[in-house]
């Protein structure tokens, strides 16, 4: 469904992506792991056109993603994104955040969007928080609202950009639980994460990224427990080191 | 003192005609400058480079020329180009254009203060630029824009006195005329100053109230 072929991207002379090729099928959960600055987030941002890429192609169901083309809006309604820092709309309640896309982008009727949004908030465990403003919610709750907002677009896939990295440790679990449930429901997910254990349990496949290239990729168990590449082994040793 | 009150009884009714024109000039040029300023600001932050540059040029040109020269230009030079305006129209248009530059800079600062993440979240929902501005950016920017906007209102009230230079008989010109014909400069100009203050105080209180409200909203 999502296909990247030899994608290149530079920021002011620094090459962040050096030929990324990957395919993500319908219903697949793919985790992208790797050290900071390896280009993980940039891959996600190229998939929904938040970032332009310099070479190669990104396609969604055969349609080329081009930040400049008018068609990008329709691609973005099909591919939702969940951000590291939530990026909820602070001047709107949780419920209003969730219906914003369906009502104002897709033209749904409010009367239809509201009950659906309430269902989604219930699904992420926030039925009682519909009328709360983001400032009144904890980080974990905000991220779960953001996931509900992404789901409200009825996307083909959701991109998660380090969804738990700015959460207090005790709040990470509630967000991962919601994501795990989504994966079990068959949602196509691309997750940039440092949560190796989550990747191990939930991901179908893991891509290990270093310096803008995919060093290795394959079934989660294989990459995370029997990594072939020395760089991957070293990274996992450091991430998983016992305290 | 009693003489002052006697003067006041005589001159205040005349000055109040000037007050009315001052309010008209201030309000109308406030509306015009707000609309124009919003246009310049949106051009500055839009994604078309040519429009950004154009707005930048316009704002700098307006900022770089004294208000009084702009007023003279509109009132005395435009007729030569075939556009004849009444003094009142010229003063409203002149002040409106002159202040649109400051309005634009204030609006732009407010818009640019909004977290980039808000733009990305809007984009990722498939919003167009216009929808994002209307639903996400501007509603948040208003809170940042309002306190300085109140200050601009006060400045405009006072700068409406510049309309006197192109014969609009607003408060300052009325005062000048009375003072010149009666030689009672002290009492007349004191009344003029007090009248401006009376008009400013509600605005000053309003700005203070806005700032306190914004403070609360942030905490």
């Amino acid at each position: 469904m999502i296909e990247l072929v030899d994608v290149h991207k530079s920021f002011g002379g620094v090459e962040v992506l050096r030929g990324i090729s990957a395919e993500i099928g319908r219903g697949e959960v793919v985790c992208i792991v790797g050290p900071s600055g390896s280009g993980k987030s940039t891959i996600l941002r190229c998939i929904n056109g938040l970032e332009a890429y310099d070479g190669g192609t990104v396609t969604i169901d055969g349609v080329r993603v081009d930040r400049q083309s008018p068609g990008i809006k329709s691609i973005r309604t099909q591919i939702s994104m969940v951000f590291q820092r939530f990026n909820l709309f602070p001047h709107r309640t949780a419920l209003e955040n969730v219906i914003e896309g369906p009502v104002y982008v897709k033209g749904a009727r409010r009367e239809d969007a509201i009950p659906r949004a309430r269902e989604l908030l219930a699904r992420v465990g926030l039925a009682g928080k519909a009328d709360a403003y983001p400032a009144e919610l904890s980080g974990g709750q905000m991220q779960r609202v953001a996931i509900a907002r992404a789901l409200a677009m009825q996307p083909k896939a959701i991109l998660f950009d380090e969804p738990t990295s700015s959460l207090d440790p005790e709040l990470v679990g509630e967000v991962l639980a919601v994501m795990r449930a989504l994966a079990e429901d068959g949602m196509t997910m691309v997750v940039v994460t440092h949560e190796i254990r989550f990747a191990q349990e939930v991901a179908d496949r893991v891509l290990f990224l270093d310096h803008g290239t995919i060093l290795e990729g394959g079934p989660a168990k294989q990459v995370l427990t029997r990594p072939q590449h020395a760089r991957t082994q070293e990274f996992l040793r450091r991430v998983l080191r016992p305290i | 003192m009693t003489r002052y009150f006697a003067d006041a009884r005589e001159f205040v009714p005349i000055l109040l005609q000037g007050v009315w024109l001052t309010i008209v000039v201030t309000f109308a040029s406030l509306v015009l400058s707000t609309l124009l300023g919003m246009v310049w600001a949106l051009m500055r932050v839009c994604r078309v480079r040519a429009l950004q540059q154009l707005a930048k040029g316009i704002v700098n040109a307006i900022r770089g020329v004294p208000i009084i020269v702009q007023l003279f230009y509109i009132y005395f030079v435009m007729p030569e180009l075939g556009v004849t305006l009444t003094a009142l129209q010229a003063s409203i248009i002149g002040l409106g254009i002159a202040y649109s530059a400051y309005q634009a800079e204030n609006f732009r600062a407010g818009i640019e203060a909004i977290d980039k993440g808000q733009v990305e979240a809007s984009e990722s929902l498939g919003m167009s630029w216009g929808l994002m501005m209307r639903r996400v950016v501007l509603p948040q920017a208003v809170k940042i824009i309002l306190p300085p906007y109140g200050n601009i209102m006060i400045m405009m009230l006072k700068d409406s006195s510049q309309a006197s230079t192109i014969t609009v008989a607003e408060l300052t010109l009325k005062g000048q005329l009375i003072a010149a014909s009666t030689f009672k400069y002290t009492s007349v100009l004191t009344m003029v100053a007090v009248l401006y203050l009376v008009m400013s105080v509600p605005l000053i209180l309003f700005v203070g109230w806005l700032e306190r409200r914004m403070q609360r909203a942030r905490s």
Side-chain angles (χ1 to χ4, degrees), chain B residues 199-219:
Chain B
M199 288 188 279
S200 301
V201 165
L203 291 179
I204 292 169
L205 292 176
F206 175 62
V207 172
W209 176 79
L210 274 180
E211 280 171 354
R212 279 193 306 278
R213 230 188 81 141
M214 294 308 141
Q215 210 72 48
R216 262 213 310 280
R218 258 197 297 276
S219 61

PDB file of all heavy atoms in Angstrom, chain B residues 199-219:
ATOM      1  N   MET B 199     -11.238  60.292  26.240  1.00  0.00           N
ATOM      2  CA  MET B 199     -11.478  59.248  25.225  1.00  0.00           C
ATOM      3  C   MET B 199     -10.493  58.088  25.360  1.00  0.00           C
ATOM      4  O   MET B 199     -10.819  56.941  25.072  1.00  0.00           O
ATOM      5  CB  MET B 199     -11.390  59.856  23.817  1.00  0.00           C
ATOM      6  CG  MET B 199     -12.562  60.752  23.472  1.00  0.00           C
ATOM      7  SD  MET B 199     -12.534  61.266  21.738  1.00  0.00           S
ATOM      8  CE  MET B 199     -11.365  62.610  21.783  1.00  0.00           C
ATOM      9  N   SER B 200      -9.260  58.399  25.807  1.00  0.00           N
ATOM     10  CA  SER B 200      -8.236  57.348  25.897  1.00  0.00           C
ATOM     11  C   SER B 200      -8.460  56.412  27.070  1.00  0.00           C
ATOM     12  O   SER B 200      -8.201  55.211  26.973  1.00  0.00           O
ATOM     13  CB  SER B 200      -6.840  57.956  26.053  1.00  0.00           C
ATOM     14  OG  SER B 200      -6.538  58.773  24.973  1.00  0.00           O
ATOM     15  N   VAL B 201      -8.929  56.994  28.190  1.00  0.00           N
ATOM     16  CA  VAL B 201      -8.991  56.189  29.414  1.00  0.00           C
ATOM     17  C   VAL B 201      -9.790  54.896  29.242  1.00  0.00           C
ATOM     18  O   VAL B 201      -9.309  53.824  29.633  1.00  0.00           O
ATOM     19  CB  VAL B 201      -9.501  57.038  30.602  1.00  0.00           C
ATOM     20  CG1 VAL B 201      -9.912  56.152  31.764  1.00  0.00           C
ATOM     21  CG2 VAL B 201      -8.413  58.012  31.045  1.00  0.00           C
ATOM     22  N   PRO B 202     -10.977  54.938  28.622  1.00  0.00           N
ATOM     23  CA  PRO B 202     -11.686  53.662  28.432  1.00  0.00           C
ATOM     24  C   PRO B 202     -10.867  52.666  27.620  1.00  0.00           C
ATOM     25  O   PRO B 202     -10.842  51.466  27.929  1.00  0.00           O
ATOM     26  CB  PRO B 202     -12.940  54.059  27.657  1.00  0.00           C
ATOM     27  CG  PRO B 202     -13.099  55.508  27.862  1.00  0.00           C
ATOM     28  CD  PRO B 202     -11.742  56.072  28.111  1.00  0.00           C
ATOM     29  N   LEU B 203     -10.156  53.169  26.597  1.00  0.00           N
ATOM     30  CA  LEU B 203      -9.330  52.273  25.790  1.00  0.00           C
ATOM     31  C   LEU B 203      -8.194  51.690  26.626  1.00  0.00           C
ATOM     32  O   LEU B 203      -7.884  50.508  26.531  1.00  0.00           O
ATOM     33  CB  LEU B 203      -8.750  53.036  24.591  1.00  0.00           C
ATOM     34  CG  LEU B 203      -9.752  53.456  23.509  1.00  0.00           C
ATOM     35  CD1 LEU B 203      -9.053  54.222  22.391  1.00  0.00           C
ATOM     36  CD2 LEU B 203     -10.452  52.244  22.941  1.00  0.00           C
ATOM     37  N   ILE B 204      -7.557  52.556  27.448  1.00  0.00           N
ATOM     38  CA  ILE B 204      -6.445  52.088  28.283  1.00  0.00           C
ATOM     39  C   ILE B 204      -6.939  51.013  29.249  1.00  0.00           C
ATOM     40  O   ILE B 204      -6.299  49.972  29.423  1.00  0.00           O
ATOM     41  CB  ILE B 204      -5.819  53.267  29.054  1.00  0.00           C
ATOM     42  CG1 ILE B 204      -5.107  54.203  28.066  1.00  0.00           C
ATOM     43  CG2 ILE B 204      -4.842  52.774  30.123  1.00  0.00           C
ATOM     44  CD1 ILE B 204      -4.676  55.536  28.652  1.00  0.00           C
ATOM     45  N   LEU B 205      -8.104  51.253  29.848  1.00  0.00           N
ATOM     46  CA  LEU B 205      -8.661  50.262  30.775  1.00  0.00           C
ATOM     47  C   LEU B 205      -8.964  48.957  30.045  1.00  0.00           C
ATOM     48  O   LEU B 205      -8.713  47.862  30.549  1.00  0.00           O
ATOM     49  CB  LEU B 205      -9.942  50.801  31.428  1.00  0.00           C
ATOM     50  CG  LEU B 205      -9.730  51.976  32.383  1.00  0.00           C
ATOM     51  CD1 LEU B 205     -11.073  52.491  32.895  1.00  0.00           C
ATOM     52  CD2 LEU B 205      -8.833  51.562  33.555  1.00  0.00           C
ATOM     53  N   PHE B 206      -9.476  49.097  28.816  1.00  0.00           N
ATOM     54  CA  PHE B 206      -9.810  47.924  28.008  1.00  0.00           C
ATOM     55  C   PHE B 206      -8.559  47.097  27.721  1.00  0.00           C
ATOM     56  O   PHE B 206      -8.562  45.864  27.849  1.00  0.00           O
ATOM     57  CB  PHE B 206     -10.473  48.398  26.711  1.00  0.00           C
ATOM     58  CG  PHE B 206     -10.771  47.309  25.734  1.00  0.00           C
ATOM     59  CD1 PHE B 206     -11.648  46.275  26.061  1.00  0.00           C
ATOM     60  CD2 PHE B 206     -10.198  47.307  24.470  1.00  0.00           C
ATOM     61  CE1 PHE B 206     -11.935  45.267  25.159  1.00  0.00           C
ATOM     62  CE2 PHE B 206     -10.473  46.302  23.560  1.00  0.00           C
ATOM     63  CZ  PHE B 206     -11.340  45.277  23.896  1.00  0.00           C
ATOM     64  N   VAL B 207      -7.458  47.787  27.362  1.00  0.00           N
ATOM     65  CA  VAL B 207      -6.210  47.075  27.085  1.00  0.00           C
ATOM     66  C   VAL B 207      -5.707  46.360  28.335  1.00  0.00           C
ATOM     67  O   VAL B 207      -5.290  45.203  28.294  1.00  0.00           O
ATOM     68  CB  VAL B 207      -5.122  48.048  26.561  1.00  0.00           C
ATOM     69  CG1 VAL B 207      -3.780  47.350  26.449  1.00  0.00           C
ATOM     70  CG2 VAL B 207      -5.537  48.605  25.212  1.00  0.00           C
ATOM     71  N   GLY B 208      -5.779  47.062  29.468  1.00  0.00           N
ATOM     72  CA  GLY B 208      -5.344  46.457  30.728  1.00  0.00           C
ATOM     73  C   GLY B 208      -6.156  45.202  31.040  1.00  0.00           C
ATOM     74  O   GLY B 208      -5.599  44.163  31.418  1.00  0.00           O
ATOM     75  N   TRP B 209      -7.455  45.309  30.823  1.00  0.00           N
ATOM     76  CA  TRP B 209      -8.342  44.165  31.073  1.00  0.00           C
ATOM     77  C   TRP B 209      -7.978  42.990  30.158  1.00  0.00           C
ATOM     78  O   TRP B 209      -7.889  41.844  30.590  1.00  0.00           O
ATOM     79  CB  TRP B 209      -9.782  44.617  30.847  1.00  0.00           C
ATOM     80  CG  TRP B 209     -10.801  43.532  30.964  1.00  0.00           C
ATOM     81  CD1 TRP B 209     -11.310  43.015  32.124  1.00  0.00           C
ATOM     82  CD2 TRP B 209     -11.441  42.816  29.896  1.00  0.00           C
ATOM     83  NE1 TRP B 209     -12.228  42.037  31.839  1.00  0.00           N
ATOM     84  CE2 TRP B 209     -12.322  41.896  30.476  1.00  0.00           C
ATOM     85  CE3 TRP B 209     -11.347  42.886  28.510  1.00  0.00           C
ATOM     86  CZ2 TRP B 209     -13.118  41.037  29.727  1.00  0.00           C
ATOM     87  CZ3 TRP B 209     -12.140  42.022  27.755  1.00  0.00           C
ATOM     88  CH2 TRP B 209     -13.009  41.120  28.362  1.00  0.00           C
ATOM     89  N   LEU B 210      -7.718  43.325  28.867  1.00  0.00           N
ATOM     90  CA  LEU B 210      -7.331  42.284  27.905  1.00  0.00           C
ATOM     91  C   LEU B 210      -6.063  41.585  28.351  1.00  0.00           C
ATOM     92  O   LEU B 210      -5.963  40.356  28.321  1.00  0.00           O
ATOM     93  CB  LEU B 210      -7.070  42.916  26.535  1.00  0.00           C
ATOM     94  CG  LEU B 210      -8.250  43.112  25.596  1.00  0.00           C
ATOM     95  CD1 LEU B 210      -7.765  43.743  24.305  1.00  0.00           C
ATOM     96  CD2 LEU B 210      -8.910  41.774  25.307  1.00  0.00           C
ATOM     97  N   GLU B 211      -5.067  42.397  28.773  1.00  0.00           N
ATOM     98  CA  GLU B 211      -3.787  41.810  29.139  1.00  0.00           C
ATOM     99  C   GLU B 211      -3.935  40.890  30.351  1.00  0.00           C
ATOM    100  O   GLU B 211      -3.344  39.823  30.401  1.00  0.00           O
ATOM    101  CB  GLU B 211      -2.748  42.907  29.408  1.00  0.00           C
ATOM    102  CG  GLU B 211      -2.178  43.426  28.103  1.00  0.00           C
ATOM    103  CD  GLU B 211      -1.315  44.654  28.268  1.00  0.00           C
ATOM    104  OE1 GLU B 211      -1.229  45.193  29.385  1.00  0.00           O
ATOM    105  OE2 GLU B 211      -0.733  45.078  27.251  1.00  0.00           O
ATOM    106  N   ARG B 212      -4.741  41.338  31.328  1.00  0.00           N
ATOM    107  CA  ARG B 212      -4.950  40.475  32.497  1.00  0.00           C
ATOM    108  C   ARG B 212      -5.635  39.181  32.089  1.00  0.00           C
ATOM    109  O   ARG B 212      -5.286  38.104  32.547  1.00  0.00           O
ATOM    110  CB  ARG B 212      -5.787  41.204  33.556  1.00  0.00           C
ATOM    111  CG  ARG B 212      -4.975  42.164  34.415  1.00  0.00           C
ATOM    112  CD  ARG B 212      -5.775  42.604  35.633  1.00  0.00           C
ATOM    113  NE  ARG B 212      -7.070  43.166  35.265  1.00  0.00           N
ATOM    114  CZ  ARG B 212      -7.257  44.424  34.860  1.00  0.00           C
ATOM    115  NH1 ARG B 212      -6.223  45.237  34.772  1.00  0.00           N
ATOM    116  NH2 ARG B 212      -8.458  44.857  34.554  1.00  0.00           N
ATOM    117  N   ARG B 213      -6.607  39.296  31.192  1.00  0.00           N
ATOM    118  CA  ARG B 213      -7.343  38.123  30.741  1.00  0.00           C
ATOM    119  C   ARG B 213      -6.430  37.133  30.036  1.00  0.00           C
ATOM    120  O   ARG B 213      -6.519  35.926  30.235  1.00  0.00           O
ATOM    121  CB  ARG B 213      -8.452  38.558  29.786  1.00  0.00           C
ATOM    122  CG  ARG B 213      -9.789  37.980  30.138  1.00  0.00           C
ATOM    123  CD  ARG B 213     -10.766  38.298  29.056  1.00  0.00           C
ATOM    124  NE  ARG B 213     -10.584  37.358  27.962  1.00  0.00           N
ATOM    125  CZ  ARG B 213     -11.588  36.834  27.272  1.00  0.00           C
ATOM    126  NH1 ARG B 213     -12.817  37.208  27.534  1.00  0.00           N
ATOM    127  NH2 ARG B 213     -11.363  35.979  26.311  1.00  0.00           N
ATOM    128  N   MET B 214      -5.528  37.667  29.182  1.00  0.00           N
ATOM    129  CA  MET B 214      -4.605  36.808  28.442  1.00  0.00           C
ATOM    130  C   MET B 214      -3.633  36.121  29.404  1.00  0.00           C
ATOM    131  O   MET B 214      -3.271  34.979  29.246  1.00  0.00           O
ATOM    132  CB  MET B 214      -3.808  37.627  27.414  1.00  0.00           C
ATOM    133  CG  MET B 214      -4.657  38.199  26.314  1.00  0.00           C
ATOM    134  SD  MET B 214      -5.663  36.930  25.535  1.00  0.00           S
ATOM    135  CE  MET B 214      -7.186  37.785  25.278  1.00  0.00           C
ATOM    136  N   GLN B 215      -3.213  36.895  30.414  1.00  0.00           N
ATOM    137  CA  GLN B 215      -2.316  36.347  31.430  1.00  0.00           C
ATOM    138  C   GLN B 215      -2.954  35.120  32.081  1.00  0.00           C
ATOM    139  O   GLN B 215      -2.332  34.092  32.244  1.00  0.00           O
ATOM    140  CB  GLN B 215      -2.049  37.415  32.491  1.00  0.00           C
ATOM    141  CG  GLN B 215      -0.679  37.298  33.154  1.00  0.00           C
ATOM    142  CD  GLN B 215       0.405  37.722  32.197  1.00  0.00           C
ATOM    143  OE1 GLN B 215       0.309  38.759  31.573  1.00  0.00           O
ATOM    144  NE2 GLN B 215       1.428  36.901  32.047  1.00  0.00           N
ATOM    145  N   ARG B 216      -4.224  35.286  32.438  1.00  0.00           N
ATOM    146  CA  ARG B 216      -4.937  34.179  33.081  1.00  0.00           C
ATOM    147  C   ARG B 216      -5.052  32.991  32.147  1.00  0.00           C
ATOM    148  O   ARG B 216      -4.890  31.860  32.550  1.00  0.00           O
ATOM    149  CB  ARG B 216      -6.330  34.644  33.515  1.00  0.00           C
ATOM    150  CG  ARG B 216      -6.417  35.032  34.972  1.00  0.00           C
ATOM    151  CD  ARG B 216      -7.775  34.712  35.555  1.00  0.00           C
ATOM    152  NE  ARG B 216      -8.868  35.220  34.743  1.00  0.00           N
ATOM    153  CZ  ARG B 216      -9.284  36.486  34.757  1.00  0.00           C
ATOM    154  NH1 ARG B 216      -8.694  37.341  35.552  1.00  0.00           N
ATOM    155  NH2 ARG B 216     -10.279  36.866  34.013  1.00  0.00           N
ATOM    156  N   ALA B 217      -5.347  33.285  30.881  1.00  0.00           N
ATOM    157  CA  ALA B 217      -5.560  32.210  29.918  1.00  0.00           C
ATOM    158  C   ALA B 217      -4.295  31.383  29.732  1.00  0.00           C
ATOM    159  O   ALA B 217      -4.348  30.196  29.477  1.00  0.00           O
ATOM    160  CB  ALA B 217      -5.999  32.792  28.577  1.00  0.00           C
ATOM    161  N   ARG B 218      -3.115  32.050  29.880  1.00  0.00           N
ATOM    162  CA  ARG B 218      -1.854  31.328  29.674  1.00  0.00           C
ATOM    163  C   ARG B 218      -1.532  30.429  30.851  1.00  0.00           C
ATOM    164  O   ARG B 218      -1.007  29.359  30.684  1.00  0.00           O
ATOM    165  CB  ARG B 218      -0.712  32.329  29.456  1.00  0.00           C
ATOM    166  CG  ARG B 218      -0.305  32.467  28.005  1.00  0.00           C
ATOM    167  CD  ARG B 218       1.051  33.129  27.883  1.00  0.00           C
ATOM    168  NE  ARG B 218       1.041  34.486  28.402  1.00  0.00           N
ATOM    169  CZ  ARG B 218       0.650  35.532  27.690  1.00  0.00           C
ATOM    170  NH1 ARG B 218       0.221  35.377  26.477  1.00  0.00           N
ATOM    171  NH2 ARG B 218       0.687  36.737  28.191  1.00  0.00           N
ATOM    172  N   SER B 219      -1.869  30.901  32.052  1.00  0.00           N
ATOM    173  CA  SER B 219      -1.442  30.122  33.225  1.00  0.00           C
ATOM    174  C   SER B 219      -2.336  28.922  33.458  1.00  0.00           C
ATOM    175  O   SER B 219      -3.401  28.822  32.905  1.00  0.00           O
ATOM    176  CB  SER B 219      -1.418  31.016  34.457  1.00  0.00           C
ATOM    177  OG  SER B 219      -2.709  31.528  34.704  1.00  0.00           O
TER     178      SER B 219
END
